[in-house]
Amino acid sequence: MSRRLLAAMAKVLDPYYDLIMDEDLAKNEWPKQLDEHQKQEKQSIMAQVMTREMWDKFKDHKTKNGWTLARAINTGVTNPSSFLGCHAGDMESYTEFGPLFKGAVEKYHVGYDMETMKHVTDMDVNKIGTELADHAQKKIISTRIRCARNLSFFPLNTCGTKETREEIAELMEGVFKTFTGDLAGKFYRHTTMSEDEIKELVDKHFLFRGKDKMQAASGYHADWPHGRGIFVSNDEKFLMWLNEGDHLRIISMEQGGDIPSVFDRLGRGAAAVENGLKEVTKRDEVYMSSPVLGMITCCPTNLGTGMRGSVHIIIPKLIKKIGFEGIDKVARSMNCQARGSTGEHSEVIDRVDISNWRRLGYPEYNLVEDMIKCVNVISQMEDEIED
Ligand code: ADP
Ligand code: MG
């Protein structure tokens, strides 16, 4: 067998990286799989919102960057266990396929009315009006707060190309050079990092793993590893992800439970990124945003602040008593959620990740308060269990 033929055979579609369309959606036809999902009790938000009427009305619409309804819902159709099930390709997606995204936004961000409400932003650390209890402080391994940002002069990552992704990395390399003091650091690109370097950064909880099927089904991982990378400050407390989900994920993290210190660094970091971008691009506005939706993100769950603040907490007795599901239920009742030890969709190995659920319609400091209140209650529950 020829070498070329062998190489061609080896290049079968990789479900972890390549964009694989549902058979019907690939032909721009109503996805029959969705009929099945819509009969189940547990459905993604997309399946709850999507109708045949909506499909017929919007199936031939296309945004300037080429995003379609088929592309938007492919992730939920091919991954029936999705919680959300749809992604945007650009800012226009949120208006072009109006009822789908309006439905998704209002179902995730419960209580947010897109007709009458406006998003607010405030990262002032002095406005945090709740304190972490001592008993909670003692159980926290580390604290991390991240916020998502997308550049207004590129399509979102889902709709990007190898060139747009690399241009973003190029541009950001210039922005990283403007950082000073504790924010200064080093940029690592996936195209030049070794497997060992990647593994080390992932193991430290700094770097994304990639290989997320739900993201892959929307094209997030296309042209991997081009344009992907991570910036790490010299003290390893200020980081940035490039072209993982959104163009930029700005991250502040450190060991222990000093939440105000982490939030303060995030605010300073976010300002440095925005100022650096304005300086390098000579633009007055650099981010994709709107008064109603705040920061525009690929995933409608991240709209608004784009912020998820989390602590890694050790609560073995509570895990044994009520399990991960039980802890998540408590967290959900307090506008928060639980995740596993190594991020979204991961198992609990030792620590549990508790973070804010809400992102849109509330200023950032309020969301930090949500997390603190929830962690205090969960820590108290752990202490009330007899040994
Ligand atoms: P994101 O919301 O930023 O996409 P993920 O759930 O994918 O977050 O997690 C990304 C990485 O951040 C994972 O390695 C996860 O374990 C790590 N992480 C999340 N919260 C914390 C924390 N409080 N301390 C340390 N690492 C954390
Ligand atoms: Mg994520």
Side-chain angles (χ1 to χ4, degrees):
M1 208 177 286
S2 80
R3 239 181 212 205
R4 265 177 65 195
L5 190 61
L6 270 176
M9 280 171 66
K11 173 91 190 75
V12 283
L13 286 180
D14 180 347
Y16 287 112
Y17 284 109
D18 292 325
L19 166 61
I20 301 173
M21 292 295 288
D22 166 75
E23 250 179 50
D24 295 318
L25 289 177
K27 292 182 270 177
N28 208 32
E29 286 170 11
W30 169 261
K32 291 187 278 300
Q33 275 204 71
L34 192 53
D35 289 326
E36 291 311 309
H37 304 175
Q38 289 179 329
K39 288 182 199 144
Q40 309 296 320
E41 201 182 314
K42 215 171 162 197
Q43 293 175 27
S44 68
I45 285 182
M46 180 279 291
Q48 293 167 46
V49 173
M50 197 61 205
T51 61
R52 277 191 184 252
E53 291 72 41
M54 211 187 278
W55 172 260
D56 290 337
K57 186 162 173 204
F58 293 100
K59 72 181 168 64
D60 296 320
H61 284 216
K62 211 175 219 182
T63 66
K64 273 191 227 82
N65 294 296
W67 202 243
T68 60
L69 195 53
R71 287 288 311 271
I73 66 172
N74 185 57
T75 183
V77 171
T78 55
N79 296 287
S81 63
S82 304
F83 179 82
L84 191 84
C86 60
H87 290 136
D90 46 22
M91 185 153 164
E92 234 186 304
S93 308
Y94 284 99
T95 44
E96 193 65 39
F97 313 105
L100 169 66
F101 284 102
K102 187 170 187 294
V105 167
E106 293 183 350
K107 268 194 192 289
Y108 179 90
H109 304 280
V110 178
Y112 197 73
D113 179 349
M114 283 174 62
E115 303 294 326
T116 58
M117 295 168 102
K118 286 215 160 49
H119 180 66
V120 278
T121 170
D122 193 335
M123 294 179 92
D124 185 351
V125 64
N126 298 312
K127 292 194 178 139
I128 300 176
T130 317
E131 271 192 38
L132 191 68
D134 276 348
H135 57 84
Q137 184 86 247
K138 289 188 188 115
K139 298 183 185 70
I140 294 176
I141 303 178
S142 52
T143 305
R144 172 184 187 266
I145 314 181
R146 59 87 162 156
C147 60
R149 297 286 184 268
N150 286 287
L151 304 173
S152 56
F153 39 101
F154 286 103
L156 289 170
N157 191 24
T158 38
C159 212
T161 61
K162 184 177 159 199
E163 287 70 34
T164 59
R165 293 180 172 104
E166 284 186 333
E167 268 178 60
I168 291 170
E170 207 60 39
L171 176 69
M172 289 312 297
E173 185 149 45
V175 173
F176 297 147
K177 289 187 184 134
T178 67
F179 296 170
T180 55
D182 63 334
L183 302 179
K186 191 176 163 194
F187 178 36
Y188 301 84
R189 289 178 189 247
H190 277 66
T191 41
T192 49
M193 259 191 291
S194 70
E195 286 300 320
D196 284 347
E197 272 177 307
I198 291 180
K199 186 173 179 310
E200 193 192 327
L201 289 168
V202 170
D203 289 347
K204 281 170 141 173
H205 297 266
F206 289 171
L207 183 59
F208 48 90
R209 286 164 297 183
K211 294 196 168 190
D212 178 313
K213 270 194 183 176
M214 294 179 197
Q215 290 191 336
S218 284
Y220 280 85
H221 299 337
D223 303 306
W224 196 275
H226 295 280
R228 274 69 180 202
I230 182 171
F231 169 84
V232 186
S233 68
N234 297 327
D235 65 4
E236 301 191 326
K237 292 181 180 177
F238 178 65
L239 300 93
M240 279 183 73
W241 287 358
L242 250 63
N243 289 319
E244 176 257 357
D246 295 292
H247 294 154
L248 314 176
R249 287 286 174 94
I250 305 170
I251 302 162
S252 167
M253 66 195 284
E254 65 185 46
Q255 296 299 304
D258 188 348
I259 298 172
S261 151
V262 175
F263 187 56
D264 177 61
R265 185 184 308 106
L266 182 78
R268 287 189 296 112
V273 178
E274 185 167 358
N275 291 337
L277 270 164
K278 286 179 177 171
E279 192 184 315
V280 169
T281 63
K282 313 265 181 278
R283 288 171 189 261
D284 296 332
E285 293 297 330
V286 286
Y287 292 139
M288 229 185 254
S289 73
S290 88
V292 175
L293 296 178
M295 286 298 161
I296 302 296
T297 50
C298 301
C299 185
T301 62
N302 279 321
L303 289 165
T305 56
M307 196 190 97
R308 191 175 81 86
S310 63
V311 295
H312 271 174
I313 184 166
I314 295 285
I315 39 173
K317 289 187 284 181
L318 200 58
I319 294 174
K320 203 165 164 205
K321 189 171 175 202
I322 63 173
F324 174 80
E325 303 289 328
I327 295 166
D328 188 46
K329 210 164 156 194
V330 174
R332 300 272 180 134
S333 73
M334 301 192 69
N335 298 313
C336 286
Q337 74 170 131
R339 290 187 180 184
S341 305
T342 58
E344 195 171 20
H345 310 136
S346 71
E347 299 289 315
V348 174
I349 301 163
D350 49 1
R351 61 205 72 186
V352 178
D353 169 331
I354 303 289
S355 65
N356 60 291
W357 178 261
R358 310 193 282 195
R359 318 231 196 281
L360 176 64
Y362 301 89
E364 288 81 349
Y365 70 85
N366 267 171
L367 307 182
V368 172
E369 290 172 343
D370 284 350
M371 171 178 59
I372 295 175
K373 286 180 198 158
C374 181
V375 171
N376 284 343
V377 166
I378 284 183
S379 164
Q380 176 119 30
M381 287 174 76
E382 167 80 5
D383 288 347
E384 281 166 3
I385 302 171
E386 306 265 331
D387 287 319

